[in-house]
Amino acid sequence: GSDAAHAAVELATAIRRAAVVVATAPPAGEAGDPFLADEALRAALVEAAEAGALIIYLSSVGVYGDQEGRPVTEETVPTPRTARAKRRLAAEEEWRTLPAKRLAIVRLPGIYGPFRGPVAKAREGNARITKEGHLFSRIHVDDVVSLCSTLLDRARSGEVAGLWDADCAAVINCCDSDPAPQHEVSALAYELLGLPVPPALPFDSAELSAMQRSFYEESRRMVNTKLLSILPALKHESYRTGLPACVAEESRLTRWHPRDLISDPITLLAKAGRRLMAALPQSSGRRLRVALVDNGSLKAEATLSLRRLAAAVEAKAREDGHAVVVEAVSARFSDRIPARDLGGTAGETLPGWLQRVKGEARGLKQSVLFLPLLIGPSNTITKSMPDAARAVPELDVEIAPTLVCLCPALYAPGSSGADEIAKMLADNLAVLPKEFQDPHCDGEDAVFVCDHGSPVARVTAAREAVRQSLEKRLGRPVSACCMERREGPEYDFNG
């Protein structure tokens, strides 16, 4: 569609201007590398390479194939066995055809980090598989980032010895220093979570997918001597320190949403929907069906968090006397998340959820309320929600205002929701740990109100209302920014 075409143009423009390009996408089946297969993106990459950009291609140690547990260095000749690994090696060769002065092919094992890898799998109850003599290598995501950053520093400074001496392409095995069997790594993950360690299951009797089985049919002892000559040190040389760090980081990242702080967003959501909840008819004694709607994400934790909030909103609404069922629904993306990552219950987007509600109504009239977990009149609320509602005329669908609504016909300026959002932000700032304080600000925290970015100026106006309210509440400057924006002066309102 037009959005995809626009995004492709923006990506090509960004590539041409880039000092470093990090390609993380795997080959797209038989089509090959998705960036090099696209004519416009390939042209942009050629232009960036000719201009001296550092090109980093993140590949896989799978290109080495089965080495029967032998040590593997960058000089080991790749002998890929699986179709997947063969496509990876072919992609590496494609990237070598670019006129790059500095190309780094980084071959990675399994990457782990917070909410990804052995700890996340232990939470899901994954089996511990044992196979005699089999080893897996791995790398913490922080060390992958450190390598990419160091490569850029080396390329900029001209320190190329040992990297780009004679060949414009440097190959680096980015692995930690402790290859280990899966069942040992998994056992530590279970122990760190305080969960019972399940018994090890022999590989031959384990029920595994074809892809999972392929990983156990190859064994390599990766050697990271070259990596350690580039980096001063690995942050996590072994999973024995990396996994505890993951658990600690997950705890830090999730403690900003304790249950005793959830009342404010629930109250605000209830305020946005209360008038409509009371006005909508309860046809045939049926409870009001409410979709708590966010923009959507491919990250499982985003949907799980939305579900927790939906359950709390439902409890609050029932306390207020409303017979409702509140469910977590996304405008896009969440239906692509594997159900196993969501506790076995698949994520839903608006069209699919509405069809399910329609089916459950069995021909009877059913009232539905969309409760947007959004700030300002984004395209999701002005287009996606109405379009989804019109597609199911059998349902009586209403759309509540957003969390921050600047429409004077609905709310007075002082009741727009901006002050409530600002209060929540201030409450969270008040309990920030000391390590988040910026030492370069003379004891003052640097505070930014950041949104995703929007092509709609009225959405940014809602963000600005929150910024102004927070600045007044804190009594110090607060800046605004966005994560991404479209190019061109007509979108300068994003900041």
Side-chain angles (χ1 to χ4, degrees), residues 112 138-140 143 175-179 224 227-228 231-242:
Y112 71 98
R138 59 199 55 78
I139 189 72
H140 192 285
D143 287 314
C175 312
D176 70 15
S177 304
D178 191 11
N224 62 1
L227 175 67
L228 296 179
L231 293 177
L234 290 178
K235 187 172 182 180
H236 300 291
E237 289 202 11
S238 168
Y239 70 92
R240 302 175 198 278
T241 61

Side-chain angles (χ1 to χ4, degrees), residues 266 277 287-288 290 292 308-320 322-327 371:
I266 293 170
M277 284 183 186
R287 290 178 295 176
L288 174 65
V290 179
L292 181 60
R308 291 192 291 268
L309 186 55
V313 172
E314 179 177 309
K316 175 65 176 176
R318 291 187 178 185
E319 286 178 12
D320 292 344
H322 299 296
V324 299
V325 175
V326 184
E327 296 175 272
L371 194 55

Side-chain angles (χ1 to χ4, degrees), residues 34-50:
F35 296 107
L36 299 178
D38 184 284
E39 185 176 338
L41 294 181
R42 186 184 185 98
L45 285 163
V46 168
E47 188 173 328
E50 290 176 337

Side-chain angles (χ1 to χ4, degrees), residues 356-376:
R356 178 166 67 80
V357 171
K358 172 187 168 183
E360 292 171 357
R362 300 182 185 277
L364 299 175
K365 274 294 182 181
Q366 173 69 61
S367 295
V368 171
L369 175 64
F370 290 165
L371 194 55
L373 191 62
L374 304 168
I375 293 177

Side-chain angles (χ1 to χ4, degrees), residues 27 61 71 90 109 225 272 326 329 427:
V61 297
T225 304
V326 184
V329 186
D427 288 345

Side-chain angles (χ1 to χ4, degrees), residues 213-492:
R213 190 164 291 276
S214 71
F215 291 127
Y216 286 91
E217 290 171 348
E218 298 181 354
S219 182
R220 297 172 288 269
R221 183 180 292 274
M222 300 303 303
V223 177
N224 62 1
T225 304
K226 185 172 183 177
L227 175 67
L228 296 179
S229 72
I230 299 169
L231 293 177
L234 290 178
K235 187 172 182 180
H236 300 291
E237 289 202 11
S238 168
Y239 70 92
R240 302 175 198 278
T241 61
L243 295 189
C246 288
V247 173
E249 182 71 358
E250 289 174 6
S251 175
R252 183 188 68 80
L253 290 171
T254 56
R255 73 172 180 261
W256 302 116
H257 305 286
R259 294 190 181 278
D260 60 344
L261 291 181
I262 205 170
S263 60
D264 276 337
I266 293 170
T267 301
L268 188 56
L269 285 162
K271 170 188 171 182
R274 186 178 295 120
R275 182 169 59 187
L276 286 172
M277 284 183 186
L280 288 172
Q282 306 297 302
S283 302
S284 303
R286 305 186 70 82
R287 290 178 295 176
L288 174 65
R289 300 292 292 268
V290 179
L292 181 60
V293 185
D294 67 357
N295 271 322
S297 170
L298 292 173
K299 298 290 187 180
E301 181 54 34
T303 295
L304 294 173
S305 178
L306 188 66
R307 288 177 179 176
R308 291 192 291 268
L309 186 55
V313 172
E314 179 177 309
K316 175 65 176 176
R318 291 187 178 185
E319 286 178 12
D320 292 344
H322 299 296
V324 299
V325 175
V326 184
E327 296 175 272
V329 186
S330 295
R332 55 188 69 82
F333 301 135
S334 62
D335 55 346
R336 302 184 198 172
I337 303 171
R340 66 176 181 275
D341 296 342
L342 297 172
T345 303
E348 291 183 290
T349 56
L350 283 171
W353 181 79
L354 286 170
Q355 289 296 331
R356 178 166 67 80
V357 171
K358 172 187 168 183
E360 292 171 357
R362 300 182 185 277
L364 299 175
K365 274 294 182 181
Q366 173 69 61
S367 295
V368 171
L369 175 64
F370 290 165
L371 194 55
L373 191 62
L374 304 168
I375 293 177
S378 66
N379 289 331
T380 296
I381 193 169
T382 61
K383 187 176 187 305
S384 300
M385 289 185 185
D387 286 350
R390 280 192 290 269
V392 191
E394 297 86 352
L395 301 176
D396 291 331
V397 180
E398 293 285 349
I399 303 175
T402 56
L403 294 181
V404 177
C405 179
L406 303 182
C407 177
L410 293 176
Y411 295 116
S415 303
S416 67
D419 290 341
E420 287 93 335
I421 294 290
K423 180 181 183 302
M424 283 186 268
L425 295 175
D427 288 345
N428 278 325
L429 285 170
V431 294
L432 278 172
K434 292 182 179 180
E435 62 263 27
F436 277 87
Q437 296 183 8
D438 187 345
H440 303 295
C441 293
D442 298 324
E444 297 264 338
D445 291 327
V447 180
F448 291 83
V449 174
C450 181
D451 67 356
H452 187 275
S454 172
V456 180
R458 289 178 296 166
V459 175
T460 303
R463 182 195 71 190
E464 176 61 16
V466 174
R467 186 201 67 78
Q468 291 178 1
S469 179
L470 181 60
E471 186 172 75
K472 182 177 179 180
R473 185 176 292 274
L474 296 178
R476 62 182 175 213
V478 175
S479 300
C481 60
C482 62
M483 290 187 286
E484 62 182 23
R485 51 158 289 179
R486 294 181 179 178
E487 293 290 337
E490 66 269 33
Y491 299 110
D492 283 350

